[in-house]
Amino acid sequence: MKNLFKSREALLYVMAISMVFSFSAWMSLLNNFVIEVASFDGSQIGILQSLREIPGFLAFTVILAIMFIAQQRLAYISMIMLGIGVMLTGYFPTAIGLYITTVIMSIGFHYLETLNQSLSLQWLSKDKAPIVLGKITAAKSFTGLVAFVIIYIMMKFYSVEYKYVYLFFGGSTFLTGILAWIAFEHFKDDVVQEKKLVLKKEYWLFYVLTFFAGARRQIFIVFAGFLLVEKFGVDIHNMVALLFINSILNMYFAPKIGRFIARFGERITLRIEYLGLMLVFFSYAFVDNVYIAFFLFVIDHILFSMAIALKTYFQKIADPKDIASASAISFTINHIAAVFLPVLLGLVWLYSHSLVFIIGTGIALLSFGFSFLIPQAPKQGLETTLKSKRIES
């Protein structure tokens, strides 16, 4: 047991699992909670989701924070803050109340997510990273699965109120953050990280694909689930069951995707992801059968696991000392679209559900086009195929 608390890899698992346990509960309950209890419409859910993403947009401030607080310690503080935000959610079922608790939760979540990515890419070797990240993704899916089972039992068989469900899951992450802070060894950085924000032209393709990934993620997170609830009348029990299925499939596919990336590379993996997204989003736009919508929701979720390839692509092209800084910047770039898209598309939603997903199809198409610029074997100094051609000439 003592060796467990001296393992960097074990801490990465704890951070990822604790983050998913509370956030998956917050997210899986959200659409039903805001409609059934807070009486939200499409515009209000768009505002809430935009507010949720503002801390993600401000993720670059992680670099300012680690000037004074070590990354590992800041991760613990973020876990605690995430837990507090989720704990409070059910006690303020008004628009203003939900906006405030969402921001608190989101600061903890996005700081923790940024630091988890930064520490993963620093602590894992390039050969090992895709495989371990695939396993961590599977562990996160299993954690989500456990969370959905607990939610289902609490609400289906014991009719537990939303506020107590949120209290349980948020409290669990809160306590985990405190216990991890006490139990785990503090690990020293192998490479001293750059503590200033610099946009490097060598990473431009990573930045572009990260921006599109943020836009795609918002359309799925905000509107795919909302479509199921609003258009098809899916209740909380069926939503949880659907997320349960997603978790089981991700537990199976995520490690395989990690091994696929290690064997075939980031370029092929990302092309498959973006092509799949084009088909899924276009289908969302015109789906009228609830079971087909369920199928699209599941496939969309599986494609998320392929995003590991974007992280490992960056790990291969980055200067090791840039990882913390660039991870923070990439989260900000990822959330540029997240800040304004939910509000704008929330207004589009009031006019046409289909148009929202057609816009998503266009974003996936752009991502697919840019993926052809990823080299077969990316590395520092060979970040894009354009650079490869300049070297050859």
Side-chain angles (χ1 to χ4, degrees):
M1 184 61 73
K2 288 183 179 179
N3 290 333
L4 177 68
F5 295 118
K6 293 182 178 180
S7 168
R8 294 179 175 184
E9 196 170 309
L11 180 54
L12 292 176
Y13 275 96
V14 169
M15 289 165 58
I17 287 170
S18 67
M19 177 174 65
V20 169
F21 191 67
S22 56
F23 183 72
S24 61
W26 184 88
M27 202 66 187
S28 64
L29 294 171
L30 181 66
N31 286 316
N32 293 86
F33 180 65
V34 299
I35 291 173
E36 296 171 16
V37 181
S39 302
F40 270 33
D41 59 23
S43 177
Q44 287 173 311
I45 189 68
I47 293 171
L48 183 144
Q49 294 287 7
S50 286
L51 287 172
R52 180 176 70 84
E53 297 297 357
I54 289 175
F57 176 72
L58 298 175
F60 66 87
T61 58
V62 166
I63 294 302
L64 303 179
I66 65 174
M67 293 175 67
F68 307 99
I69 306 172
Q71 290 185 77
Q72 188 176 336
R73 190 172 293 117
L74 185 59
Y76 298 143
I77 294 171
S78 302
M79 289 167 66
I80 291 167
M81 195 166 186
L82 167 60
I84 290 172
V86 175
M87 286 167 64
L88 295 176
T89 297
Y91 289 90
F92 299 94
T94 63
I96 297 299
L98 282 170
Y99 294 160
I100 292 171
T101 57
T102 294
V103 169
I104 294 170
M105 178 280 302
S106 184
I107 292 171
F109 175 81
H110 284 101
Y111 262 51
L112 182 56
E113 194 175 23
T114 302
L115 291 161
N116 197 2
Q117 175 175 308
S118 172
L119 292 172
S120 295
L121 299 183
Q122 289 174 61
W123 290 350
L124 301 174
S125 68
K126 293 178 182 178
D127 293 336
K128 195 177 180 182
I131 297 170
V132 174
L133 290 175
K135 290 179 179 178
I136 290 176
T137 300
K140 289 163 68 175
S141 295
F142 178 74
T143 303
L145 181 67
V146 171
F148 301 144
V149 170
I150 294 172
I151 292 170
Y152 190 84
I153 292 171
M154 290 175 80
M155 303 193 77
K156 178 71 173 179
F157 298 106
Y158 296 99
S159 300
V160 178
E161 294 180 44
Y162 280 104
K163 62 182 179 181
Y164 297 120
V165 178
Y166 279 122
L167 180 64
F168 170 76
F169 284 93
S172 298
T173 295
F174 174 81
L175 291 175
T176 301
I178 293 174
L179 293 174
W181 195 332
I182 295 169
F184 273 94
E185 178 183 327
H186 182 77
F187 305 109
K188 294 182 179 179
D189 294 335
D190 294 331
V191 177
V192 177
Q193 293 296 296
E194 188 71 64
K195 292 184 174 63
K196 60 182 179 181
L197 295 169
V198 180
L199 279 169
K200 289 198 171 182
K201 62 182 180 180
E202 293 89 346
Y203 307 151
W204 74 267
L205 180 58
F206 169 68
Y207 295 147
V208 169
L209 291 175
T210 297
F211 174 78
F212 288 138
R216 160 263 199 273
R217 185 172 56 86
Q218 285 310 300
I219 294 174
F220 172 75
I221 289 176
V222 179
F223 297 105
F226 203 70
L227 177 78
L228 293 176
V229 176
E230 186 180 80
K231 183 174 181 178
F232 297 104
V234 178
D235 62 21
I236 184 63
H237 306 111
N238 284 320
M239 279 301 299
V240 171
L242 185 60
L243 294 169
F244 183 91
I245 293 169
N246 278 348
S247 295
I248 291 175
L249 292 174
N250 256 19
M251 285 169 55
Y252 176 77
F253 283 110
K256 293 183 181 299
I257 290 170
R259 289 193 291 271
F260 183 90
I261 296 168
R263 182 175 178 184
F264 295 102
E266 289 78 12
R267 181 169 67 175
I268 292 176
T269 305
L270 289 172
R271 286 180 188 176
I272 293 171
E273 179 192 358
Y274 300 144
L275 185 60
L277 286 174
M278 289 165 57
L279 297 173
V280 168
F281 279 139
F282 190 77
S283 300
Y284 268 137
F286 303 103
V287 64
D288 286 317
N289 183 291
V290 67
Y291 297 106
I292 295 176
F294 283 162
F295 174 76
L296 294 173
F297 192 85
V298 169
I299 296 299
D300 203 350
H301 197 80
I302 290 173
L303 290 171
F304 263 115
S305 296
M306 291 188 169
I308 294 170
L310 191 54
K311 295 179 182 179
T312 57
Y313 163 66
F314 171 67
Q315 185 190 35
K316 289 178 178 178
I317 66 172
D319 186 326
K321 72 179 184 343
D322 291 338
I323 287 177
S325 175
S327 292
I329 291 171
S330 72
F331 266 86
T332 292
I333 292 171
N334 183 277
H335 289 79
I336 291 172
V339 170
F340 68 84
L341 261 188
V343 172
L344 293 180
L345 294 183
L347 297 174
V348 172
W349 184 269
L350 299 176
Y351 170 74
S352 169
H353 296 178
S354 297
L355 186 55
V356 169
F357 294 111
I358 289 173
I359 292 170
T361 305
I363 292 169
L365 177 60
L366 287 171
S367 301
F368 182 71
F370 275 103
S371 70
F372 283 82
L373 297 178
I374 298 175
Q376 180 63 41
K379 60 183 179 180
Q380 193 176 350
L382 186 60
E383 295 86 5
T384 70
T385 56
L386 295 177
K387 198 162 189 178
S388 174
K389 290 173 182 176
R390 286 201 299 271
I391 292 171
E392 290 173 1
S393 63

